[in-house]
Amino acid sequence: MPASTAADEAILRFSDVAFSWRESDAFRLEIESFAVRRCESLLVMGPSGSGKSTLLSLACGIVSPQQGEIEVAGTTITGLRGAALDRFRAEHFGIIFQMFNLLPYGSVVDNVLLPLRFARARRSRAARDGEPAGEAQRLLVRLGLDPALHRRSAPTLSVGQQQRVAVARALIGNPAIVIADEPTSALDRDHRHAFLDLLFEEAARAGATLVMVSHDATMAPRFERTVELGGLARPA
């Protein structure tokens, strides 16, 4: 058997994972085996309520499973707690939340730089070609946000502009994995495809694995692999 390349190695792996929300018995997410390769682009499909956002939250340690193990870049994150888990998440993950989760205070650039406050190695990567603020502005311009808006506060921007800020924040400092929760839901078809072009290009430039969830099947051909989540979530 030929030796595997670095790109073939799993950067994210679920083993015998089971999760249910304690305050709700609406569903139970069970994942016997699931892996994502380094530098892969993966689309996770499924209807509303199937557990797509929960899968992402498990992957980056926002919630912990009641059973099983989750491994990221060779580290079993189900064994991490508190500040150690927070630091690991900040170093390794760029997260595009469905509701963006931008800070209402501070500027657009401040929002983009936020993950670097908790991730020393990621901050160093962002500063390779100058100050991190310069890299933040480069990303914002590349994503189509006019420099005149970079010192504005996030709530003064349109939904589409806020989306671009959220993506720049996820990409800065070349995190190993970019997690995207329905990031194109606010865009029409033409803007959606243009947005994906930029996201794929910047993720590839950073050498990042891209994992996105959506219920929009028209995006599937853009990704290297598509996984249907319906078979992983079951009624309690």
Side-chain angles (χ1 to χ4, degrees):
M1 175 179 292
S4 62
T5 66
D8 294 326
E9 297 173 0
I11 193 168
L12 173 65
R13 189 185 304 277
F14 283 52
S15 302
D16 296 318
V17 167
F19 176 86
S20 61
W21 293 102
R22 298 185 187 280
E23 66 272 18
S24 169
D25 292 328
F27 77 92
R28 178 178 174 84
L29 189 65
E30 292 185 340
I31 305 174
E32 181 179 356
S33 180
F34 172 62
V36 184
R37 301 187 309 274
R38 290 183 184 274
C39 303
E40 181 178 20
S41 62
L42 173 70
L43 179 65
V44 181
M45 298 287 300
S48 296
S50 62
K52 300 187 302 298
S53 295
T54 301
L55 175 70
L56 297 187
S57 294
L58 286 164
C60 56
I62 292 175
V63 297
S64 298
Q66 283 87 38
Q67 171 188 312
E69 290 188 346
I70 299 170
E71 183 181 296
V72 177
T75 295
T76 303
I77 66 169
T78 37
L80 300 178
R81 293 290 183 272
L85 178 57
D86 292 341
R87 286 193 299 269
F88 186 90
R89 183 189 307 116
E91 289 284 10
H92 291 82
F93 286 94
I95 305 173
I96 308 170
F97 296 96
Q98 191 169 9
M99 301 304 294
F100 308 148
N101 289 10
L102 299 179
L103 298 177
Y105 51 86
S107 68
V108 163
V109 170
D110 291 335
N111 267 278
V112 176
L113 294 174
L114 183 63
L116 307 185
R117 296 171 60 181
F118 311 101
R120 183 177 301 174
R122 191 170 167 185
R123 181 178 179 85
S124 295
R125 292 193 297 270
R128 269 195 299 231
D129 298 320
E131 288 297 317
E135 173 63 4
Q137 292 176 56
R138 185 201 69 81
L139 280 169
L140 289 165
V141 169
R142 184 71 186 89
L143 289 163
L145 197 69
D146 192 284
L149 301 176
H150 293 183
R151 294 299 171 186
R152 295 262 296 272
S153 61
T156 67
L157 304 182
S158 70
V159 171
Q161 290 168 341
Q162 289 184 41
Q163 186 180 56
R164 285 159 172 74
V165 177
V167 173
R169 181 181 61 186
L171 290 169
I172 195 166
N174 297 2
I177 305 176
V178 174
I179 295 286
D181 190 355
E182 301 271 14
T184 62
S185 58
L187 301 177
D188 61 31
R189 184 181 183 280
D190 290 341
H191 285 91
R192 182 163 59 246
H193 285 287
F195 171 81
L196 286 175
D197 287 342
L198 289 170
L199 181 57
F200 281 127
E201 184 175 337
E202 288 298 327
R205 180 181 181 274
T209 299
L210 176 62
V211 180
M212 182 184 295
V213 302
S214 178
H215 61 274
D216 183 357
T218 65
M219 293 195 297
R222 303 290 306 272
F223 290 79
E224 295 176 66
R225 184 163 60 108
T226 301
V227 171
E228 176 61 49
L229 189 59
L232 299 180
R234 68 176 189 183

